Amino acid sequence: MGLFDFFKKKETAPEAQEALDKGLEKTKEGFLSKITKAVAGKSTVDDDVLDNLEEVLVTSDVGVTTTLKIIDRIQARVAKDKYLSTSELQTLLRDEIQLLLAENNSNDFRNFEYGDHKPYVIMVVGVNGVGKTTTIGKLAHKLKGEGLKVVLGAADTFRAAAVEQIKLWGERVGVRVVAQAMGSDPASVAFDTLQSAVANKEDVVIIDTAGRLHNKVGLMNELGKIKNVMQKVIPNAPHEILLVLDGSTGQNAFEQCKQFTEATDVNALAITKLDGTAKGGVVIGISDQFKIPVKYIGVGEKMDDLQLFDKKDFVNSLFK
């Protein structure tokens, strides 16, 4: 069973779909109104419409590379179908974006469940301010709701606030937190957390790490050291390196993704704060360009507003 096959497929609950639709409202309003303007006064999809559409996608933070792929696909369809009305464009655009995301060879996740590895170890990375600690807390809440025993490791020991935040989330969610004194060696915290998780037969370990995007070599060394120390306790840990990105930062999120994927083996993404921004297109661009599964999206403030990402549901919601 592969790393990303641990989630069992089930239909999106109506309340989750409703939260997704609400969380993407700002992006959707901007996106659809721009498309409407792009085709105003036109009955067929011509070069002008395609130029306007290209601008819509770029200004919606889909990213230039992904935008050009989408435009190329639509041009190919226009050439093939000879005549394509502007009324068909929205459906075509939705379908092409879904197909593009489907080609990234990443499964959708429909359940907060883990399989063979016990404990399953998640190392969370990302710069300060992206919603990393909140994501950890909400994820712990979801996992606990699935009946799993969860422990958090407060390995961001450079900021007192980070350790305190993790402790607060632990209390709020009702999960155990392993922490050391401010300024302790992060790898030591990770080691202690894994040892105690094994001893307590816990199911999932979530390790927070420092969110400083200092020079890449320093970041690489620090994260590498934490991984090496964890592997002394659990040979193949961490099973998941989850990079948290703030969707509202648009192109900045691309740059952070680039830096972190070069520094460590990121194999899952969480994109947060989508409810407060019109830049939700960033999810499409990052998913396409980095070929790393977007696993979670944050669509609101509530504890349950961290959702498993489903490509089809996401794109359908954008075009509703």
Side-chain angles (χ1 to χ4, degrees):
M1 184 183 284
L3 177 63
F4 294 110
D5 297 329
F6 296 149
F7 292 87
K8 295 175 182 173
K9 191 87 170 165
K10 68 177 182 185
E11 291 307 309
T12 300
E15 62 272 18
Q17 185 65 55
E18 196 180 312
L20 178 64
D21 292 345
K22 192 169 184 299
L24 293 179
E25 260 172 19
K26 287 187 180 175
T27 296
K28 187 164 44 182
E29 282 164 16
F31 195 53
L32 295 179
S33 66
K34 285 177 187 172
I35 291 174
T36 304
K37 282 178 191 162
V39 300
K42 298 279 190 178
S43 58
T44 60
V45 177
D46 58 16
D47 287 345
D48 282 347
V49 168
L50 289 171
D51 285 346
N52 291 341
L53 186 60
E54 187 176 318
E55 189 180 335
V56 168
L57 293 169
V58 170
T59 57
S60 298
D61 286 276
V62 171
V64 175
T65 307
T66 304
T67 292
L68 293 176
K69 281 189 197 174
I70 294 167
I71 296 296
D72 284 350
R73 285 164 174 259
I74 289 174
Q75 272 180 320
R77 282 286 289 272
V78 170
K80 182 178 157 215
D81 298 345
K82 302 296 182 225
Y83 176 90
L84 193 72
S85 71
T86 51
S87 60
E88 294 171 278
L89 181 62
Q90 198 164 300
T91 304
L92 177 60
L93 183 59
R94 184 196 64 201
D95 293 348
E96 289 301 337
I97 291 172
Q98 283 179 343
L99 283 169
L100 185 69
L101 294 184
E103 287 163 16
N104 292 344
N105 299 319
S106 63
N107 296 333
D108 287 323
F109 309 103
R110 290 297 188 104
N111 226 6
F112 287 85
E113 279 185 20
Y114 297 96
D116 295 349
H117 300 292
K118 188 172 176 179
Y120 184 87
V121 182
I122 303 169
M123 182 166 86
V124 184
V125 301
V127 301
N128 296 330
V130 294
K132 191 156 54 85
T133 314
T134 304
T135 299
I136 290 168
K138 288 179 176 179
L139 180 54
H141 168 70
K142 291 278 191 185
L143 295 172
K144 193 181 175 202
E146 292 285 342
L148 299 171
K149 287 173 71 181
V150 183
V151 58
L152 309 180
D156 182 356
T157 56
F158 296 99
R159 287 189 313 132
V163 176
E164 290 311 310
Q165 277 179 300
I166 287 284
K167 285 180 178 175
L168 281 171
W169 271 105
E171 285 171 25
R172 190 176 169 193
V173 175
V175 300
R176 204 165 62 81
V177 176
V178 175
Q180 291 181 9
M182 171 74 181
S184 300
D185 179 9
S188 168
V189 178
F191 183 83
D192 283 357
T193 309
L194 264 63
Q195 270 202 326
S196 67
V198 171
N200 288 306
K201 295 186 166 54
E202 277 150 330
D203 300 299
V204 184
V205 179
I206 307 176
I207 303 287
D208 187 19
T209 63
R212 303 165 304 153
L213 194 56
H214 43 324
N215 71 72
K216 208 183 307 168
V217 175
L219 180 68
M220 208 177 286
N221 291 342
E222 190 174 290
L223 296 177
K225 184 182 173 189
I226 294 171
K227 279 170 65 176
N228 292 340
V229 166
M230 286 199 283
Q231 285 168 4
K232 290 177 182 175
V233 185
I234 298 168
N236 52 354
H239 307 106
E240 186 173 307
I241 298 180
L242 177 67
L243 171 61
V244 181
L245 299 167
D246 177 349
S248 70
T249 61
Q251 293 308 298
N252 248 351
F254 281 86
E255 186 54 34
Q256 287 171 24
C257 198
K258 183 173 179 287
Q259 296 283 338
F260 275 95
T261 51
E262 286 174 0
T264 191
D265 302 317
V266 174
N267 57 12
L269 300 173
I271 301 182
T272 66
K273 306 184 186 182
L274 291 172
D275 54 309
T277 182
K279 300 182 181 210
V282 74
V283 176
I284 298 164
I286 283 177
S287 179
D288 171 54
Q289 284 184 45
F290 291 94
K291 304 292 187 275
I292 297 168
V294 176
K295 196 165 188 179
Y296 311 107
I297 53 172
V299 291
E301 298 293 319
K302 295 200 295 289
M303 192 93 91
D304 286 314
D305 285 339
L306 181 73
Q307 293 196 358
L308 291 161
F309 178 66
D310 179 281
K311 296 182 279 284
K312 193 173 179 184
D313 287 349
F314 181 86
V315 178
N316 281 341
S317 185
L318 274 187
F319 284 90
K320 268 186 186 169

